[in-house]
Amino acid sequence: MKDAPLKLTPDTTLTPEALEKASGVLARDGLLLGRGDDAAPQLVLFDGRFTPAHAALLERRPPALLLATREGGQPSAWEARLLSALLRGEPMIPQEAATSVAWLGSVAEVTAVGERAAEAVLQAGGSKGAASRVADVVHEIGVNALLDAPVDGSGEPKYAHRRGQVQSVADEDRCLVSWAVADGRAWLEATDRFGRLSVSPLVRVVKAWGEKAQVDASGGGAGLGLRRILEHSDVVAVRVTPGKRTQFACGVDLGDARRRASQPKSLLFSLERG
């Protein structure tokens, strides 16, 4: 797949002119728009404001890729790069960025890494609000990977049902957190070795978008955290290799925090085959 053209099905509401312009942006990263087959993911270009209809698109098999339009009504070049990397199995944090990585085995270590990522934002000239958002996102994606992902040999969660009590995990259950600052945003990623995350918790978040946030433990305790992640981020990209790993990446703008939750969002969920 890495060297093959990636065929995606465009949203049928796009005008031919808009589709032609979007095709040019995506083609620069090797993404070719076409009819594809039934197993090919559908690319939906939209204004980045979620509605219940977008939740239904995520429930498709495979889930639709929700890509926001920004400058001039077109997808941004940096999101096209991310989409290409996601689908090709390549690193989602920009390769030119100076990336820091850490293996984490406790909630305290996740918190410490969040503080380090926040400090990197401030050193890059980001706002205090952005630094706070970054620390928050690192905490959420890190704790989700640390406590919600691990299962025992019979497939039963090891820590999720005791999320409020567990402070550290076994060595084999540690997660990897990576972070970098590049092109006006922080890039954050958490990786676990279980590959259990389904699209369902994200579907529930999108369905309730715009409503008052409520705790939802049905996603293993991560429901409210996923909402916070999406509110703070400009893009969320998830690659799940079933039974092997989940990679959960976010891009967080370094600017002012005002009305951040209402800004355009992209949500890209990829379930690898085999």
Side-chain angles (χ1 to χ4, degrees):
M1 280 296 296
K2 282 190 176 183
D3 298 321
L6 296 170
K7 291 203 171 187
L8 308 175
T9 304
D11 180 20
T12 56
T13 63
L14 286 177
T15 66
E17 182 180 49
L19 180 57
E20 182 178 359
K21 291 180 179 178
S23 297
V25 173
L26 296 168
R28 287 195 287 271
D29 284 284
L31 296 167
L32 304 181
L33 292 176
R35 292 184 178 181
D37 55 35
D38 290 341
Q42 180 188 12
L43 176 66
V44 177
L45 293 174
F46 74 122
D47 63 5
R49 277 80 176 180
F50 295 122
T51 70
H54 295 115
L57 292 170
L58 287 172
E59 292 181 300
R60 293 184 177 182
R61 293 180 181 272
L65 300 159
L66 307 180
L67 186 64
T69 54
R70 300 181 189 271
E71 300 86 356
Q74 299 302 313
S76 65
W78 59 269
E79 279 167 302
R81 180 211 63 79
L82 174 62
L83 176 59
S84 176
L86 171 72
L87 295 177
R88 293 177 185 275
E90 297 170 351
M92 291 188 282
I93 294 179
Q95 296 189 43
E96 67 274 12
T99 303
S100 300
V101 299
W103 283 98
L104 308 178
S106 71
V107 175
E109 290 174 344
V110 173
T111 300
V113 162
E115 293 171 351
R116 291 170 61 187
E119 181 60 30
V121 168
L122 295 175
Q123 290 179 354
S127 68
K128 290 183 179 180
S132 177
R133 294 197 307 278
V134 163
D136 208 7
V137 170
V138 170
H139 177 82
E140 296 295 349
I141 64 174
V143 171
N144 288 351
L146 192 72
L147 300 183
D148 291 331
V151 292
D152 60 23
S154 62
E156 293 298 317
K158 297 177 69 172
Y159 312 107
H161 61 294
R162 302 183 286 121
R163 212 171 191 259
Q165 291 76 45
V166 177
Q167 294 300 312
S168 61
V169 301
D171 285 347
E172 64 269 21
D173 297 330
R174 292 185 303 162
C175 66
L176 179 68
V177 172
S178 310
W179 68 99
V181 178
D183 298 328
R185 58 189 48 85
W187 294 95
L188 316 166
E189 183 177 322
T191 303
D192 67 62
R193 66 174 185 85
F194 296 92
R196 296 178 52 246
L197 183 65
S198 73
V199 75
S200 297
L202 290 164
V203 168
R204 289 192 289 271
V205 170
V206 172
K207 279 184 178 178
W209 198 256
E211 300 176 3
K212 184 177 180 180
Q214 300 194 15
V215 175
D216 177 6
S218 59
L224 186 57
L226 287 173
R227 175 169 173 144
R228 290 173 65 84
I229 291 167
L230 201 52
E231 285 179 345
H232 291 338
S233 303
D234 297 298
V235 61
V236 168
V238 183
R239 180 193 292 132
V240 179
T241 307
K244 294 182 179 180
R245 74 183 63 84
T246 294
Q247 296 164 276
F248 199 114
C250 307
V252 181
D253 191 271
L254 301 189
D256 198 309
R258 288 179 298 177
R259 299 180 59 81
R260 183 58 53 190
S262 65
Q263 296 301 307
K265 316 282 183 185
S266 289
L267 180 51
L268 311 171
F269 189 97
S270 176
L271 184 65
E272 292 197 340
R273 305 179 192 178

